[in-house]
């Protein structure tokens, strides 16, 4: 077979083989990622609505297939956590569990309409999208949020804790985000 035909044959064969590979969604998430997510689930488990996060199982299941989780198609790291409305209305689940900060590649965090108490965590600066609206946070908005250099959307609206008050914007200069 002439050299040019061999090259075309090899490229065609490679393309056929690549199309037969499992989809990127078959990529398993990293064990440290699923472990961090399970610790987070455990921290709010007594406040979950019936059936919520039931796909989050620790039996070796792929966390990239869990409810509200999106993983990077190549690396398998968790990049999105979207779990609004998963806790009982009126319940306060405490603060955001530190296990979420182990998801180093996380870009989008949507915890809309879930009851928390305390202040917004300071370690959210790597996110591109943050939605903590209607979560009952109170106190000063952390100055660290002004360091969210990659932020595309930030929603902290409708945060009010009946016992402590509203979020406050007194010290940080968030004009760098605008």
């Amino acid at each position: 077979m002439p050299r040019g035909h061999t090259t075309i044959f090899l490229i065609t064969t490679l393309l056929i083989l690549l199309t037969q590979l499992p989809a990127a969604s078959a990529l398993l998430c990293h064990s440290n990622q699923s472990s961090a997510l399970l610790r987070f689930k455990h921290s709010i488990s007594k406040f979950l609505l019936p059936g919520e996060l039931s796909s989050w199982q620790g039996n070796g299941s792929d966390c990239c297939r869990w409810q509200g989780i999106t993983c990077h198609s190549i690396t398998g790291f968790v990049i999105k956590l979207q779990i609004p409305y998963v806790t009982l209305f009126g319940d306060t689940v405490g603060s955001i569990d530190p296990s979420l900060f182990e998801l180093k590649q996380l870009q989008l965090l949507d915890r809309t309409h879930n009851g928390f108490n305390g202040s917004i965590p300071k370690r959210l600066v790597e996110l591109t999208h943050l939605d903590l609206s209607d979560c009952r946070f109170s106190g000063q908005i952390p100055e660290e949020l002004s360091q969210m250099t990659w932020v595309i959307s930030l929603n902290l609206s409708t945060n009010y804790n009946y016992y402590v008050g509203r979020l406050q914007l007194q010290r940080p200069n968030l004009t760098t985000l605008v």
Side-chain angles (χ1 to χ4, degrees), residues 27-105:
L27 181 67
L28 294 177
C29 73
H30 300 269
S31 60
N32 65 333
Q33 304 270 291
S34 58
S35 176
L37 289 166
L38 289 171
R39 285 194 312 279
F40 171 73
K41 177 186 176 184
H42 179 73
S43 74
I44 63 171
S45 61
K46 65 182 178 180
F47 303 103
L48 290 174
L49 292 166
E52 288 295 341
L53 306 185
S54 60
S55 62
W56 293 32
Q57 299 293 319
N59 55 6
S61 65
D62 182 7
C63 74
C64 295
R65 297 179 183 265
W66 293 354
Q67 172 193 346
I69 304 296
T70 302
C71 294
H72 190 277
S73 61
I74 296 172
T75 65
F77 286 112
V78 174
I79 58 171
K80 294 182 183 177
L81 176 57
Q82 296 173 284
I83 48 174
Y85 296 100
V86 295
T87 56
L88 295 169
F89 181 74
D91 278 343
T92 300
V93 300
S95 59
I96 293 181
D97 192 82
S99 58
L100 282 187
F101 305 118
E102 295 175 30
L103 304 174
K104 301 289 187 198
Q105 305 299 317

Side-chain angles (χ1 to χ4, degrees), residues 7-170:
T7 304
I8 292 172
F9 174 75
L10 289 173
I11 291 173
T12 305
T13 304
L14 180 62
L15 289 173
I16 291 170
L17 288 173
L18 286 174
T19 61
Q20 301 303 314
L21 290 175
S25 64
L27 181 67
L28 294 177
C29 73
H30 300 269
S31 60
N32 65 333
Q33 304 270 291
S34 58
S35 176
L37 289 166
L38 289 171
R39 285 194 312 279
F40 171 73
K41 177 186 176 184
H42 179 73
S43 74
I44 63 171
S45 61
K46 65 182 178 180
F47 303 103
L48 290 174
L49 292 166
E52 288 295 341
L53 306 185
S54 60
S55 62
W56 293 32
Q57 299 293 319
N59 55 6
S61 65
D62 182 7
C63 74
C64 295
R65 297 179 183 265
W66 293 354
Q67 172 193 346
I69 304 296
T70 302
C71 294
H72 190 277
S73 61
I74 296 172
T75 65
F77 286 112
V78 174
I79 58 171
K80 294 182 183 177
L81 176 57
Q82 296 173 284
I83 48 174
Y85 296 100
V86 295
T87 56
L88 295 169
F89 181 74
D91 278 343
T92 300
V93 300
S95 59
I96 293 181
D97 192 82
S99 58
L100 282 187
F101 305 118
E102 295 175 30
L103 304 174
K104 301 289 187 198
Q105 305 299 317
L106 191 64
Q107 298 170 6
L108 182 147
L109 176 60
D110 180 356
R111 293 283 296 138
T112 307
H113 301 286
N114 289 286
F116 292 101
N117 62 11
S119 59
I120 295 174
K122 297 177 181 180
R123 296 184 288 174
L124 298 172
V125 296
E126 299 299 322
L127 298 173
T128 56
H129 303 272
L130 175 61
D131 192 341
L132 297 176
S133 60
D134 200 20
C135 287
R136 287 186 246 141
F137 283 112
S138 61
Q140 175 64 34
I141 295 175
E143 292 182 49
E144 287 78 4
L145 291 188
S146 67
Q147 298 167 10
M148 294 177 73
T149 55
W150 299 105
V151 70
I152 295 170
S153 66
L154 173 64
N155 187 353
L156 304 175
S157 64
T158 322
N159 270 287
Y160 181 78
N161 184 307
Y162 298 107
Y163 303 106
V164 182
R166 299 184 186 281
L167 279 174
Q168 301 168 16
L169 181 58
Q170 294 174 349

